Amino acid sequence: MNSLGDQAESYTDVNARVVDAWVADGWEWGTPIGHERYEAARAGDWSMVLTPTREVPREWFFEEMHGKRVLGLAAGGGQQMPIFAAMGCECTVLDYSEAQIASEVMVAEREGYEICAVRADMTRPLPFEDGAFDLIFHPVSNCYVEEVLPIWRECLRVLAPGGRLLAGLDNGLNYVVDDEEERIVRGLPFNPLRDPSLIPENALPEWGVQFSHTLDEQIRGQIQAGFRILDLYEDTNGEGRLHELGIPTFWATCAEKPA
């Protein structure tokens, strides 16, 4: 594993390999859905999450999803895109993890649907035409990138007018507390590129290179990019002391590109 100071490799390259290793170890967010869940989705019985526990409200999706062009942004792993495919959507997924892309291809081949699986880095311009999609599904992943606003601008560009962005967002509180979530031990922002001591090299395989982001960056940033926020909610980690105390650590937003 190269250090963060090695300019020959970007932090996103480091994160891609870290995620591949997590998937090999049975990572929760890298385990594809089974055939039974795919068949249930085809029958109309489905749900999805953008954050650890709360299901995305049905009204955040279009009333008629069949034929909609959907981009899973940093959403590889064979969890959400198969459900969109079961609804009759035209599916594209972009992820920088080879393992997550491989899972998408595996599920598509198993269930017999087509998917455009693109291995790419979302911190760079997205390799899609203007207005290429009707909906972008973007689970929590901005915590692995340093700058968020360029991503929101690219999302707006590749969405058609009236298109929607559904995003899961980390609110930064997990970076403030210790491992037991009992004491405040750090301030914000959390940025190991500016302070390498935050994630020592020997901790990279466990953490990856992560960043905290503010409400200004995550939600106001969508507005600055040109989106209209339609709805939002909070969620917890799903386990641990912060969860037990009911302290939210995530947001989810439903935003629309103006027609």
Side-chain angles (χ1 to χ4, degrees), residues 4-238:
L4 299 184
D6 186 348
Q7 296 302 310
E9 183 177 52
S10 70
Y11 75 87
T12 55
D13 291 330
V14 173
N15 280 341
R17 283 207 317 278
V18 167
V19 171
D20 286 346
W22 291 349
V23 173
D25 288 340
W27 187 40
E28 176 184 2
W29 306 112
T31 303
I33 66 169
H35 175 68
E36 295 77 10
R37 189 170 176 201
Y38 175 79
E39 288 296 329
R42 290 187 65 193
D45 179 12
W46 57 269
S47 64
M48 299 187 210
V49 294
L50 287 161
T51 55
T53 69
R54 288 186 66 172
E55 294 182 1
V56 180
R58 285 286 183 112
E59 57 266 27
W60 284 22
F61 301 89
F62 295 105
E63 185 175 352
E64 177 54 67
M65 288 297 297
H66 191 276
K68 289 292 188 289
R69 302 165 300 167
V70 176
L71 170 62
L73 183 60
Q79 296 190 344
Q80 298 94 22
M81 304 317 292
I83 295 175
F84 282 115
M87 289 189 278
C89 300
E90 298 177 14
C91 295
T92 299
V93 63
L94 182 146
D95 205 295
Y96 58 19
S97 162
E98 290 185 6
Q100 293 287 73
I101 289 293
S103 293
E104 292 289 349
V105 174
M106 180 274 291
V107 177
E109 291 177 346
R110 185 189 73 201
E111 305 300 348
Y113 62 83
E114 293 185 2
I115 188 168
C116 177
V118 180
R119 182 171 181 259
D121 181 351
M122 71 174 174
T123 66
R124 302 179 183 275
L126 299 179
F128 309 114
E129 298 293 330
D130 296 358
F133 302 101
D134 302 302
L135 185 144
I136 296 175
F137 195 86
H138 181 48
V140 173
S141 54
N142 280 347
C143 52
Y144 298 102
V145 300
E146 185 177 22
E147 298 292 336
V148 175
L149 185 57
I151 296 173
W152 298 145
R153 288 173 173 158
E154 279 294 282
C155 286
L156 189 84
R157 180 184 66 79
V158 303
L159 276 173
R164 291 187 179 182
L165 167 66
L166 311 187
L169 312 166
D170 188 308
N171 71 14
L173 286 181
N174 281 312
Y175 300 106
V176 172
V177 296
D178 61 8
D179 291 344
E180 290 73 34
E181 301 177 3
E182 294 181 346
R183 296 183 301 118
I184 295 175
V185 295
R186 302 180 195 91
L188 295 176
F190 185 94
N191 186 330
L193 299 186
R194 298 179 183 176
D195 181 0
S197 69
L198 291 172
I199 303 181
E201 187 173 354
N202 61 5
L204 282 174
E206 178 181 359
W207 276 73
V209 186
Q210 299 190 34
F211 305 87
S212 68
H213 295 293
T214 63
L215 182 147
D216 278 14
E217 294 173 278
Q218 297 277 48
I219 298 179
R220 182 171 177 245
Q222 293 182 43
I223 298 170
Q224 290 174 319
F227 283 101
R228 184 168 68 97
I229 302 294
L230 301 180
D231 199 5
L232 53 80
Y233 60 82
E234 294 180 311
D235 197 7
T236 69
N237 289 331

